[in-house]
Amino acid sequence: MLKSKTFVKKTRSGGVMKIVREHYLRDDIWCGSEICTECKQESTVLQKDSCIESDLCSSPHYLVPDTNVVLHQIDVLEDPLIRNVIILQTVLQEVRHRSAPVYKRLKDIIHEKEKHFYTFTNEHHRDTFIEREPGESANDRNDRAIRVAVKWYSHHLDTAESDGLKVVLITNDQGNKEKAEESGLLVYKCEDYIKSLLANPELVDRLALTNDETKDISSSKVLFPEHLPLSRIQMGIKGGTFLQGTFRASRDNYLEATVFVQGEGEETTEVILQGLHNLNRAIHQDVVAVQLLPREEWVAPSSVVLLDEREAKDEDDTEEEEKEKMKIIADDAARKPTGKVVAIIKRNWRPFCGMLNSSLIKESTRHLFTPADRRVPRIRIETRQAAALLSQRIMVAIDGWPRHSRYPHGHFVRSLGAAGDKETETEVLLLEHDVPHQDFSQAVLSFLPKMPWSITPEDMAVREDLRALTVCSVDPPGCTDIDDALHCKTLENGNFEVGVHIADVSHFIRPGNALDLEAANRGTTVYLCGRNVIKVILILILFLHTRLAFSSIWEMDDKANIVKTRFTKSVINSKASLTYAEAQLRIDDTNMNDDITNSLRGLNKLAKILKRRRIEKGALTLSSLEVRFHIDSETHDPIDLQTKELMETNSMVEEFMLLANISVAQKIYDEFSECALLRKHPAPPPSNYDILNKAAQSKGLAIHTDSAKALADSLDMAKVDGFPYFNTLLRILATRCMMQAVYFCSGMDSNFHHYGLASPIYTHFTSPIRRYSDIMVHRMLAVSIGADCTYPDLTDKHKQSALCNNLNYRHKMSQYAQRASVAFHTQLFFKSRGIVNEEGFILFVRKNAIIVLIPKFGLEGTVFFDNKDKTGPKLVFDEEGPSLMVEQHIFKIFDKVKVTISLDDSNVQHQKIRMSLVEPEVKPALV
């Protein structure tokens, strides 16, 4: 049966276009139930014997949720108890249009066979399709379509074989419920039905609150301004009254945030927000509309550390407390654009990991949940499992944030395990940083090469045989991702042939298959202490001595000038797999003169020249403290840690990897000027260097930041007699001033410069096992030299740009996850060590605290000098220094202090590293 609809549409040129839409209706769409005798279906999804037991409906029954139930109660639908559910096409289409994340989760549920979720295409069934009536809204038409489908199912399954099986409509819409009841349908409110389930009463905790319910449990006092409607916001942004940007909450001050507004080109404007009223219920990474305050109300970024640690009973005192705290914040001199949130354009709500704070009121079901991410506000939830959840890491989702509530309202999603357990904490870490870590599907694994694997004549057709070269790899100890190797040999003309050989991963991961898509999504390998979350698995082939490679080969003179460059796919035979230390011992041992050692010495000699030349051009040598944990092989607890030491061989490998990346970048840009995948490092804005300049000025030195070369020269000359660690501290601060390096598509940007490397062009080529970006670069290089064929997505600059956005996001999350892993293992280390006294240096000075760096442990900690419950010492803060006078002692940047480090486990729910001053002796009120 064919239905058609004809209408006319005005074109951009002013003409009129006739549109005819055809809609096919069928009578061979089956119901999916095993009890049906009418439908000619080969297999069924809906079962009778596994139906849910409910107090409201004692008969076996199937559930049909409407759109709002799916959108708001997806956590409930994911529970194993909820099964035999009919998802109508009407609902599926609405969900897809309104929420991509919920749609994906719903599709995942439908694919779980044990859940018995069946998709019924009611919009194409002859008996369930309905036309929209005159004057009927699209929403009302869809609600009616759902009721019609439920009624059809009820009659269709009303046979002797059904034995009383019912079809139940689940809704949260009172109007929809009343109309369903008028039509004789069996219908329940979602909350009522979930509360009636006998098998899992705790499922009630997973119910998301509706807007009406969040209003009911809020205070009567209005705490926040109303958000403006979207129509007004759009006009305001277009007219310049409002600015649109990304909301980024402060880690150190819960009353402050920054909105980054993208201007023309790469220019961004930072708008400061201070105070709960101006933050106006925005959450970290929301896209918001802000209105600038009058210039006389502009403030400076806060220098005070404020953590929201009030008890639930303090909620009514919020306004007075905030006013008192904002007095501290508003006295700063260097004012910046300041504004207030007037609307939320796009929410960034997701399930958050953290812990429950028990209510002080006995028998209360309302509790505060503290997220692991300090940038996210605490969330009010209702749960009847508080006693069991207090020692657990749990996930909570936000349902809404009414104007009358100090905190957003949410619901319990699931427990992750006991707090402090290594597996639980790792799971939390991965979830919080959105690191894909699920097992690889069979579809992905099916594209791995079949074992045993060997090189075939077809492989050799486009490759050079370089197995005779003295190739070796030099890597950190314990490294399993061995994807690069080097060689150096002397040519007859006295020049050197130097080669960087990279594992040819792109040979095994072909464009568009399941393995490729999975690798593109994961983006990068995440290295955690004691565990790698690998983006792709290539089993043994990457660790064989004889392997496929992609080689970048240069001819150089003895001054490291490049005479000739070529790229080739190759086959190599690694003659040795060395650690940095082993390679260094070979270079330094004058008694060793074998081919491998001589190759290493040649590489090291040329690398020193290359590094010196880079630095002369303005490349930066910065510093950051990295620690390596020694893990107990049985308990997997950290038993020791040490800061990483760098050798000449570290620099040797780095120089040739940089040279390969730069050479390949230029090659693929020459071939793909509009779609080359490159990497750039933007120059920091001058304001980023404020803290670096102040730190240098405190020691009577000047840092020039006009260019990378000026900065590099200033850092080289910055020395203080009797303070050998000063230069390292200054370089650590300089690192904090830098912008994030990012991937980009050459056709979507005009600024290619890499500030830190002082290179006009750069990319990533040398780590395809660890990074998907390198796989894409390999593909481009292969096409450039005629070793492979191109494909549409490779030359689509818009798709390349979208891929770069994902790679940048995954790279950033990977870094955050790795830091969090180090922080957790540091906690475990000090838990077994007890109290430790150690020297450190002040890295930052705040109005009420100092932040101390402990070089020995690569650890930063905050020492507070105020206390919300007690009278603390007198504090005098000087912004210009910056310095902080505590009683009679003045603290400045880079001052040496002695601190006591221990694990504060007074609150088993929120263990943290505790740091307190030993020298100089002052009386901090709270640490």
Side-chain angles (χ1 to χ4, degrees):
M1 179 179 174
L2 174 65
K3 284 182 173 286
S4 63
K5 190 174 184 179
T6 304
F7 58 95
V8 293
K9 180 180 179 182
K10 189 176 181 180
T11 65
R12 289 183 178 180
S13 61
V16 175
M17 179 185 294
K18 183 179 179 181
I19 306 290
V20 179
R21 285 187 179 168
E22 296 180 340
H23 192 89
Y24 291 88
L25 300 180
R26 300 167 54 179
D27 53 13
D28 60 347
I29 297 174
W30 315 132
C31 69
S33 173
E34 68 175 2
I35 68 169
C36 178
T37 57
E38 294 184 26
C39 293
K40 301 173 183 179
Q41 46 203 1
E42 296 181 0
S43 60
T44 59
V45 174
L46 301 169
Q47 296 183 333
K48 177 184 175 184
D49 295 337
S50 61
C51 289
I52 309 169
E53 296 182 9
S54 163
D55 278 344
L56 284 178
C57 184
S58 57
S59 303
H61 54 278
Y62 298 152
L63 300 178
V64 183
D66 69 5
T67 305
N68 284 328
V69 168
V70 174
L71 284 170
H72 299 122
Q73 307 298 346
I74 189 69
D75 290 324
V76 171
L77 295 178
E78 286 177 330
D79 191 274
L81 179 67
I82 306 300
R83 54 192 184 273
N84 286 304
V85 176
I86 300 166
I87 300 296
L88 300 177
Q89 181 187 5
T90 304
V91 172
L92 195 63
Q93 289 174 341
E94 272 200 285
V95 171
R96 183 179 185 179
H97 175 70
R98 293 169 59 181
S99 175
V102 173
Y103 176 75
K104 183 182 182 303
R105 291 170 70 181
L106 180 60
K107 292 291 286 185
D108 289 343
I109 299 173
I110 292 170
H111 290 142
E112 292 182 36
K113 292 183 179 180
E114 63 274 12
K115 291 280 287 176
H116 302 290
F117 271 53
Y118 181 69
T119 304
F120 180 64
T121 51
N122 62 302
E123 295 291 354
H124 288 277
H125 194 288
R126 185 195 301 268
D127 297 331
T128 57
F129 171 76
I130 62 169
E131 297 274 9
R132 183 174 170 183
E133 296 177 348
E136 186 178 38
S137 70
N139 185 63
D140 288 343
R141 181 265 171 203
N142 288 342
D143 283 346
R144 186 162 60 88
I146 293 170
R147 295 194 298 271
V148 168
V150 172
K151 190 168 187 176
W152 178 85
Y153 256 105
S154 299
H155 291 311
H156 182 73
L157 298 178
D158 188 14
T159 63
E161 290 79 6
S162 70
D163 194 22
L165 185 138
K166 307 291 183 183
V167 179
V168 178
L169 173 61
I170 302 296
T171 183
N172 280 325
D173 186 329
Q174 183 61 32
N176 194 23
K177 181 175 183 291
E178 291 172 357
K179 290 178 180 178
E181 289 171 338
E182 291 172 3
S183 301
L185 302 179
L186 189 58
V187 56
Y188 298 117
K189 281 286 194 75
C190 184
E191 181 179 358
D192 296 337
Y193 179 80
I194 297 301
K195 288 180 177 179
S196 76
L197 300 183
L198 304 175
N200 188 2
E202 290 82 10
L203 193 57
V204 176
D205 287 349
R206 295 195 184 183
L207 281 169
L209 298 175
T210 63
N211 288 336
D212 291 337
E213 290 170 327
T214 57
K215 291 175 184 175
D216 291 342
I217 64 174
S218 301
S219 161
S220 59
K221 183 170 60 175
V222 175
L223 301 177
F224 297 100
E226 188 172 2
H227 289 145
L228 299 180
L230 186 60
S231 58
R232 186 173 168 188
I233 292 302
Q234 289 173 335
M235 291 177 60
I237 292 174
K238 189 174 182 180
T241 307
F242 304 134
L243 302 174
Q244 176 179 324
T246 303
F247 180 94
R248 296 182 185 173
S250 168
R251 289 181 182 273
D252 298 324
N253 186 342
Y254 74 97
L255 295 177
E256 184 173 78
T258 305
V259 172
F260 288 81
V261 180
Q262 186 68 45
E264 294 184 4
E266 296 183 3
E267 183 181 349
T268 58
T269 302
E270 295 184 19
V271 179
I272 296 173
L273 311 175
Q274 288 187 351
L276 293 176
H277 187 273
N278 291 336
L279 300 181
N280 198 8
R281 295 169 288 160
I283 288 177
H284 183 63
Q285 293 292 10
D286 281 353
V287 178
V288 300
V290 295
Q291 183 177 22
L292 291 179
L293 299 176
R295 187 174 289 268
E296 59 270 18
E297 296 182 29
W298 288 10
V299 298
S302 166
S303 294
V304 69
V305 180
L306 291 176
L307 305 180
D308 187 4
E309 296 179 330
R310 67 166 55 81
E311 302 290 347
K313 65 182 177 62
D314 296 334
E315 188 169 334
D316 292 339
D317 301 329
T318 298
E319 192 171 348
E320 289 74 14
E321 288 179 358
E322 183 186 333
K323 286 180 179 178
E324 185 62 31
K325 290 167 183 172
M326 293 307 291
K327 286 180 184 177
I328 302 173
I329 297 171
D331 292 336
D332 294 310
R335 298 175 182 271
K336 292 189 176 182
T338 307
K340 61 181 179 181
V341 172
V342 295
I344 311 294
I345 296 172
K346 183 181 179 182
R347 284 290 191 189
N348 189 48
W349 291 353
R350 59 176 174 81
F352 297 101
C353 303
M355 298 197 69
L356 198 65
N357 297 78
S358 179
S359 173
L360 298 178
I361 305 173
K362 290 185 177 180
E363 308 301 327
S364 175
T365 59
R366 296 180 184 175
H367 304 271
L368 280 179
F369 163 85
T370 301
D373 189 341
R374 292 208 310 249
R375 297 168 298 184
V376 179
R378 293 197 282 182
I379 303 167
R380 177 79 66 191
I381 71 168
E382 290 199 33
T383 177
R384 295 149 188 80
Q385 310 174 68
L389 296 177
L390 283 177
S391 60
Q392 302 283 306
R393 293 285 188 187
I394 64 173
M395 289 184 73
V396 163
I398 296 177
D399 301 323
W401 196 343
R403 297 172 60 200
H404 306 78
S405 175
R406 166 67 180 80
Y407 298 107
H409 296 163
H411 66 274
F412 167 75
V413 175
R414 66 185 176 100
S415 173
L416 299 170
D421 175 75
K422 285 190 287 295
E423 287 299 318
T424 299
E425 297 298 338
T426 299
E427 177 76 5
V428 169
L429 187 155
L430 295 174
L431 289 169
E432 273 298 291
H433 297 95
D434 194 17
V435 176
H437 58 285
Q438 67 277 12
D439 291 338
F440 292 96
S441 68
Q442 285 303 312
V444 169
L445 296 175
S446 68
F447 286 99
L448 292 175
K450 303 299 183 285
M451 306 303 286
W453 174 86
S454 62
I455 299 173
T456 66
E458 290 78 12
D459 294 332
M460 295 301 301
V462 293
R463 297 179 186 276
E464 283 190 44
D465 190 343
L466 304 181
R467 284 175 284 192
L469 292 176
T470 304
V471 174
C472 68
S473 60
V474 183
D475 294 283
C479 178
T480 56
D481 294 353
I482 302 176
D483 51 10
D484 59 79
L486 300 161
H487 90 271
C488 177
K489 74 173 185 177
T490 304
L491 301 175
E492 291 181 358
N493 61 4
N495 288 344
F496 297 95
E497 180 187 271
V498 178
V500 168
H501 311 279
I502 308 300
D504 189 6
V505 178
S506 63
H507 175 81
F508 301 98
I509 303 183
R510 301 307 296 165
N513 66 26
L515 180 59
D516 180 52
L517 296 176
E518 182 69 21
N521 177 50
R522 297 194 177 208
T524 185
T525 298
V526 181
Y527 292 93
L528 307 181
C529 299
R531 172 180 176 178
N532 288 357
V533 182
I534 308 297
K535 75 177 190 309
V536 290
I537 300 176
L538 293 176
I539 310 181
L540 297 175
I541 58 170
L542 296 175
F543 312 121
L544 297 174
H545 286 293
T546 300
R547 54 182 172 172
L548 305 184
F550 213 145
S551 301
S552 177
I553 301 173
W554 306 273
E555 181 181 335
M556 294 181 174
D557 62 20
D558 58 357
K559 299 294 190 297
N561 296 307
I562 297 174
V563 177
K564 185 167 57 177
T565 303
R566 67 187 181 93
F567 306 97
T568 181
K569 292 222 171 189
S570 61
V571 181
I572 63 169
N573 189 328
S574 180
K575 303 300 189 293
S577 180
L578 307 173
T579 65
Y580 290 123
E582 289 168 345
Q584 191 67 55
L585 286 173
R586 281 177 174 266
I587 292 172
D588 295 340
D589 189 345
T590 56
N591 295 319
M592 296 189 72
N593 289 288
D594 57 276
D595 289 345
I596 294 174
T597 303
N598 289 330
S599 176
L600 290 171
R601 287 180 182 140
L603 289 166
N604 196 41
K605 173 188 172 183
L606 294 169
K608 289 179 180 179
I609 300 172
L610 290 172
K611 183 173 183 177
R612 184 173 67 249
R613 190 176 296 154
R614 273 197 316 110
I615 292 174
E616 288 171 354
K617 290 180 179 179
L620 296 174
T621 303
L622 302 177
S623 181
S624 62
L625 288 179
E626 294 184 61
V627 295
R628 182 184 301 278
F629 288 95
H630 296 282
I631 305 294
D632 187 284
S633 59
E634 293 183 3
T635 66
H636 301 290
D637 287 336
I639 54 178
D640 195 10
L641 84 168
Q642 64 186 63
T643 53
K644 295 181 181 179
E645 295 183 10
L646 299 181
M647 305 177 185
E648 281 187 359
T649 46
N650 290 81
S651 179
M652 176 189 76
V653 173
E654 180 186 19
E655 287 306 316
F656 286 108
M657 297 303 119
L658 292 176
L659 182 60
N661 288 335
I662 292 169
S663 299
V664 170
Q666 189 62 57
K667 180 66 176 177
I668 64 172
Y669 177 63
D670 291 341
E671 182 73 21
F672 298 97
S673 61
E674 286 295 303
C675 55
L677 193 156
L678 303 176
R679 187 166 176 82
K680 67 175 181 177
H681 183 210
S687 59
N688 278 30
Y689 291 119
D690 288 349
I691 188 64
L692 181 66
N693 288 326
K694 288 180 179 180
Q697 289 166 8
S698 69
K699 301 298 182 183
L701 300 173
I703 297 293
H704 301 288
T705 59
D706 302 336
S707 65
K709 172 66 173 168
L711 175 60
D713 291 343
S714 296
L715 291 173
D716 287 342
M717 294 185 291
K719 296 177 182 178
V720 175
D721 292 340
F723 192 176
Y725 202 67
F726 172 79
N727 191 265
T728 301
L729 288 171
L730 208 59
R731 291 180 189 274
I732 290 172
L733 267 190
T735 304
R736 309 289 177 92
C737 300
M738 294 296 114
M739 304 290 284
Q740 183 78 38
V742 292
Y743 298 107
F744 69 101
C745 174
S746 59
M748 305 292 280
D749 208 325
S750 58
N751 180 14
F752 295 7
H753 190 72
H754 197 292
Y755 181 81
L757 296 175
S759 176
I761 194 167
Y762 191 69
T763 194
H764 273 162
F765 162 76
T766 55
S767 293
I769 295 178
R770 296 192 295 115
R771 299 183 300 236
Y772 185 77
S773 57
D774 302 52
I775 294 175
M776 292 299 297
V777 170
H778 276 224
R779 289 173 180 168
M780 291 181 174
L781 184 60
V783 174
S784 300
I785 64 173
D788 207 343
C789 299
T790 187
Y791 58 96
D793 284 4
L794 193 69
T795 55
D796 187 326
K797 66 180 182 180
H798 297 287
K799 290 187 177 180
Q800 289 283 32
S801 183
L803 173 63
C804 288
N805 290 338
N806 180 63
L807 295 177
N808 290 329
Y809 172 74
R810 293 299 187 198
H811 178 73
K812 180 175 66 175
M813 290 296 103
S814 168
Q815 288 183 315
Y816 291 161
Q818 287 162 197
R819 292 171 194 167
S821 178
V822 170
F824 173 63
H825 280 76
T826 303
Q827 283 190 14
L828 293 179
F829 176 77
F830 283 107
K831 185 176 183 179
S832 63
R833 286 294 180 279
I835 297 175
V836 176
N837 289 339
E838 193 61 49
E839 287 187 342
F841 299 93
I842 297 176
L843 206 55
F844 300 102
V845 178
R846 302 292 187 232
K847 287 186 173 179
N848 61 335
I850 55 174
I851 297 171
V852 178
L853 173 71
I854 311 298
K856 181 177 179 179
F857 302 124
L859 175 68
E860 281 183 40
T862 304
V863 177
F864 291 93
F865 294 107
D866 63 356
N867 191 319
K868 64 179 181 178
D869 300 321
K870 302 176 183 178
T871 302
K874 182 180 178 181
L875 306 179
V876 180
F877 179 71
D878 176 14
E879 180 74 35
E880 290 303 312
S883 66
L884 177 66
M885 179 181 287
V886 183
E887 298 296 350
Q888 300 302 314
H889 190 88
I890 298 177
F891 293 95
K892 297 180 180 178
I893 289 181
F894 296 165
D895 281 358
K896 183 184 287 189
V897 294
K898 193 168 187 177
V899 296
T900 294
I901 311 167
S902 61
L903 181 67
D904 181 3
D905 56 1
S906 58
N907 183 347
V908 71
Q909 295 173 287
H910 307 288
Q911 295 184 359
K912 56 187 177 182
I913 296 292
R914 176 190 177 100
M915 198 175 282
S916 56
L917 278 177
V918 177
E919 295 176 8
E921 185 176 356
V922 296
K923 296 180 179 179
L926 176 69
V927 179

